[in-house]
Each structure stands twice: as C-alpha cells, then as structure tokens.
Amino acid sequence: MAKWVDEGENDVLNIYLKNATQNTTLYLGIYKNSEEPGEDAGLTSLTEPSGNGYSRIALSPSDWSISGGEATQPQKTFTASGGDWGNCYGYFIATTSDNTGKLLAVEHFSDGPYNVVNGGSIKITPKITCS
C-alpha cells in the first residue's frame, strides 16, 4: 500500500480544513528510483520512464472504493511500446499528469524491481491507507 508523503498530507489538510480547491483527477505513475522516496519527496525527486509509450494514468474519482480506512482503485496497466523502460521500482499518486503538481503517496515494490522491456507491462492496483 502506498504511504502518504508530506505534500500529500498537507494537500488533504488544506482541502478539508482550509476549504482549498479539491483536485478533480489524480494520476498514477511509476518511478525508476532504486531508493524508496522519503517522507519529504516531491514529484521532481522521482525519475519516471521516458518515452516508449509511458504516461501517467488518470484515476477517476468515481473508481475509488473506500472501506476501513483504505482507498483502492481498479487495477491499471502500464505497457512499454517502442522500447524498454528498464528497472521500475515503485508507483506514485500525484495531483497532475506532469511535474507541476504535488506528490501525494508512493509505494516501493516489495518484490521489485520489474525490468520492463518493449511490449512488457506492469499491473498496479493503487491502494492508499489512512492510519
């Protein structure tokens, strides 16, 4: 399950306690950093695959299933097309499809990295908890 980072925690607090504008769509991405991102990580500290069919996937608000302090999205698939992505170590949830937004949460693959070659895929079921 993805862990919240500082930017994500602060974003949620601003939305609910200060009536800030809520994000209409969140985005799922994968990262190539071999070290697990820390609590103070931001989008610019992550290295994503470049080209070869990679782009962040929009997470529709209506697709979230929430129960027992856990929010889950249906499984999403990233597929390399036109070249390799190399080793991918985890996924993240962000407020934008580019690096202008905020990093909300990250999860380092416990059984990774996954070496994604041309035509290969990574399937992710995004989950995030409040504890």
Side-chain angles (χ1 to χ4, degrees):
M1 266 172 262
K3 68 175 184 177
W4 290 97
V5 297
D6 291 342
E7 279 188 340
E9 293 167 343
N10 288 333
D11 195 48
V12 169
L13 292 172
N14 278 310
I15 290 167
Y16 286 99
L17 300 179
K18 295 185 80 177
N19 204 26
T21 303
Q22 185 173 351
N23 306 296
T24 56
T25 304
L26 299 178
Y27 294 86
L28 178 68
I30 54 179
Y31 63 84
K32 297 172 54 92
N33 305 55
S34 60
E35 299 276 329
E36 182 174 17
E39 184 76 16
D40 61 349
L43 286 173
T44 59
S45 65
L46 300 177
T47 302
E48 295 176 80
S50 178
N52 300 321
Y54 175 77
S55 65
R56 293 180 191 170
I57 297 173
L59 301 174
S60 173
S62 63
D63 286 345
W64 286 103
S65 168
I66 300 174
S67 178
E70 178 178 285
T72 305
Q73 276 270 322
Q75 186 177 71
K76 307 294 187 224
T77 303
F78 290 91
T79 302
S81 174
D84 301 342
W85 291 346
N87 285 337
C88 297
Y89 289 84
Y91 74 88
F92 64 93
I93 299 170
T95 61
T96 57
S97 61
D98 59 21
N99 283 349
T100 62
K102 294 177 182 157
L103 177 62
L104 300 181
V106 298
E107 181 173 0
H108 210 65
F109 298 134
S110 61
D111 58 351
Y114 301 121
N115 184 20
V116 184
V117 297
N118 186 26
S121 297
I122 294 179
K123 295 181 180 188
I124 297 170
T125 302
K127 293 181 183 180
I128 191 165
T129 60
C130 290
S131 56

